[in-house]
Amino acid sequence: MTPLNNRCTRRVLAAAILAALSGSALAEGILENRHVETRIYGFLNGEIESVKAEGGPTPYGSRGRVSDGNSRIGFAGSIGIKGDVRGLWQIEGSLNNFDEGGINGQGKSSTIESRNTFVGIESKRFGRFVIGNNDSVYRSLVGSGGALGGNLGLTVQGLDVWNNTSAQLSGNADSLFGRGEARYKNSAHYLTPQWNGFQAGASYGFDEVRDTGDDRARYSLAAKYSIGAFSIGAGYDRQQNTGVDVENLSKGFGMRNTSVSGVNTSFYKVLATYKFPTKTSVGLGFESGSYGYALQSLPTPGNIYTALQTGSMKQRSVMASLTQEVGYDTTVMLAAGKLGKLDNTTFGRPDDFGATQVSLGATYKIDEQFMPYVYFTRINNKSQQNVNLGQSPLHSNKAGTDDAFLAPGNSPRAFGIGLIARF
């Protein structure tokens, strides 16, 4: 039997659902007049790899494993309202850690709504507005994962050409770059229409629970401009009443953020990509983070009073990528980055918090749906830093618990062969 094409499949699915609810004739009328569209999408991305992390107090010995590369499944659609105005919806679930039955290294599992899930409205004249659980514009519009936005690595090339693999350099709080990129729960997002290659956006994440007594709301702003093969973007992200956990920092557990009254953590970044006629692509990025902190001073013989000292630690990172297409099916990819010293740290030396990472490999495109690839990545962490693998991170301490972490000074390494199947 000849398979239906994607557009036909979407219309048949929509018609079947509507027919079940309201009768065939009415369903056909809605499809004709309301332009109902639905689609199913996603990918499975698996890797066979050898990993280890040595150099710190609790080394993670060399071993083999099967890892997941941020696999997912999504259901999305639109409903015509009037003119070019459309209602939007999407439900996207994580298939992460399918190799472990859906449980990650911290003992957590995902739900069907764990990824970008929203409802909203869009028009070419007024732009796009959605509410739900969704990537901030710091990630979706000018993210490092794909085409200056989103989390589409190995599907769309962006600054971080190894996004969605163990070799990625960006996109998480424990990554070398893109540390401010995040998905906001309980949030609202707006994107302007594109105008001569320019687009801007804003995101706001509400803190409804306020379990610490403080409002830990988060917001971001971003803008990008594209002309031909060149794209450039900039973004800003701010987290209220959030700062460094100085107690765990002083215990040597690495730098973590937590609720801290009266201080803020913020990021800004600039990044650009360009593709030459020779099918050579280059990308460059810079990010600066400012981490608030509060430190309680103890009484001294000359001063019996305690005092609360607040301030901010600052850290910068840079990364670059280079790819070369060889014929139709093969692409060689290189990415490298550096995380600088932590200025104004309350523990250790600023240089102790630096790190570098290099990722090298190649992809072989069999067709649009199936692609094998091979990669090698190495992270060199200084004595107080614990930058980790972007996907399927290593945990040398408390594995399987919420508090699992990689010991500072451990330097992860991974060599692997992967397969990605899109649908």
Side-chain angles (χ1 to χ4, degrees):
M1 183 175 67
T2 303
L4 297 173
N5 61 39
N6 290 338
R7 183 176 180 83
C8 181
T9 302
R10 291 195 298 266
R11 287 193 172 276
V12 169
L13 177 61
I17 295 172
L18 291 169
L21 295 175
S22 54
S24 178
L26 179 57
E28 290 177 3
I30 292 176
L31 284 172
E32 181 68 24
N33 298 323
R34 300 295 299 276
H35 305 288
V36 175
E37 295 286 345
T38 62
R39 64 188 178 98
I40 302 173
Y41 65 93
F43 63 78
L44 280 172
N45 187 13
E47 302 164 339
I48 301 175
E49 58 184 1
S50 172
V51 297
K52 68 177 181 180
E54 299 177 341
T58 53
Y60 188 93
S62 179
R63 66 200 70 179
R65 67 176 186 174
V66 172
S67 299
D68 171 77
N70 214 8
S71 302
R72 67 197 64 168
I73 185 170
F75 308 86
S78 65
I79 304 170
I81 298 176
K82 184 177 181 180
D84 73 338
V85 180
R86 301 185 302 154
L88 304 174
W89 64 270
Q90 178 174 296
I91 303 172
E92 187 172 291
S94 174
L95 299 178
N96 276 7
N97 309 110
F98 71 88
D99 53 299
E100 295 282 359
I103 306 297
N104 68 13
Q106 294 178 307
K108 298 177 181 178
S109 60
S110 299
T111 66
I112 189 63
E113 306 89 358
S114 57
R115 294 186 56 81
N116 293 337
T117 300
F118 57 79
V119 63
I121 194 167
E122 180 181 53
S123 83
K124 293 180 180 179
R125 182 178 178 185
F126 297 106
R128 175 186 178 106
F129 178 75
V130 302
I131 57 174
N133 178 37
N134 198 54
D135 289 345
S136 72
V137 293
Y138 192 86
R139 185 179 193 182
S140 67
L141 190 63
V142 293
S144 49
L148 289 198
N151 186 243
L152 305 171
L154 291 187
T155 301
V156 176
Q157 281 189 4
L159 172 61
D160 191 351
V161 293
W162 287 110
N163 186 251
N164 289 330
T165 72
S166 291
Q168 76 179 51
L169 281 74
S170 67
N172 299 314
D174 295 329
S175 296
L176 184 140
F177 188 84
R179 294 182 144 208
E181 297 180 19
R183 181 171 298 119
Y184 290 3
K185 298 178 180 179
N186 200 19
S187 59
H189 311 260
Y190 172 71
L191 291 175
T192 69
Q194 293 191 32
W195 182 73
N196 290 337
F198 176 82
Q199 189 174 27
S203 297
Y204 190 88
F206 297 88
D207 181 11
E208 178 185 7
V209 178
R210 302 195 184 185
D211 53 0
T212 63
D214 295 316
D215 182 3
R216 298 188 65 192
R218 185 169 182 176
Y219 68 86
S220 61
L221 304 169
K224 72 175 181 180
Y225 175 71
S226 299
I227 180 169
F230 175 74
S231 294
I232 187 169
Y236 176 77
D237 178 271
R238 182 179 177 90
Q239 305 167 59
Q240 297 179 186
N241 293 302
T242 301
V244 179
D245 186 340
V246 292
E247 181 179 354
N248 278 318
L249 184 72
S250 64
K251 292 178 180 179
F253 292 161
M255 200 173 79
R256 306 176 180 182
N257 268 5
T258 188
S259 173
V260 181
S261 298
V263 302
N264 302 288
T265 290
S266 62
F267 298 89
Y268 71 84
K269 68 179 175 185
V270 179
L271 62 169
T273 60
Y274 182 73
K275 187 170 185 177
F276 293 91
T278 57
K279 297 184 178 180
T280 304
S281 298
V282 296
L284 294 171
F286 169 83
E287 183 177 52
S288 178
S290 176
Y291 306 90
Y293 71 86
L295 191 63
Q296 190 79 39
S297 64
L298 298 176
T300 65
N303 184 357
I304 63 172
Y305 300 101
T306 61
L308 187 67
Q309 174 191 351
T310 61
S312 62
M313 307 178 195
K314 300 183 184 300
Q315 193 168 33
R316 300 168 182 84
S317 61
V318 294
M319 73 165 290
S321 61
L322 174 67
T323 71
Q324 178 62 59
E325 296 181 25
V326 183
Y328 165 78
D329 47 22
T330 302
T331 302
V332 179
M333 307 197 302
L334 169 68
K338 180 178 181 179
L339 182 65
K341 62 182 179 179
L342 182 65
D343 292 328
N344 302 325
T345 176
T346 58
F347 173 76
R349 301 179 306 163
D351 288 337
D352 291 341
F353 293 86
T356 59
Q357 183 175 0
V358 177
S359 297
L360 174 65
T363 62
Y364 182 78
K365 182 179 178 181
I366 294 177
D367 56 32
E368 295 297 331
Q369 280 70 48
F370 194 78
M371 184 175 71
Y373 57 94
V374 60
Y375 60 90
F376 173 80
T377 187
R378 181 175 180 85
I379 299 169
N380 287 313
N381 282 319
K382 294 291 184 67
S383 61
Q384 295 301 324
Q385 187 54 258
N386 53 355
V387 168
N388 214 330
L389 300 179
Q391 298 297 328
S392 299
L394 307 181
H395 300 119
S396 59
N397 295 269
K398 300 184 179 181
T401 71
D402 284 345
D403 207 26
F405 67 98
L406 177 71
N410 278 353
S411 293
R413 183 222 66 181
F415 169 75
I417 298 172
L419 297 171
I420 181 169
R422 306 179 182 93
F423 55 88

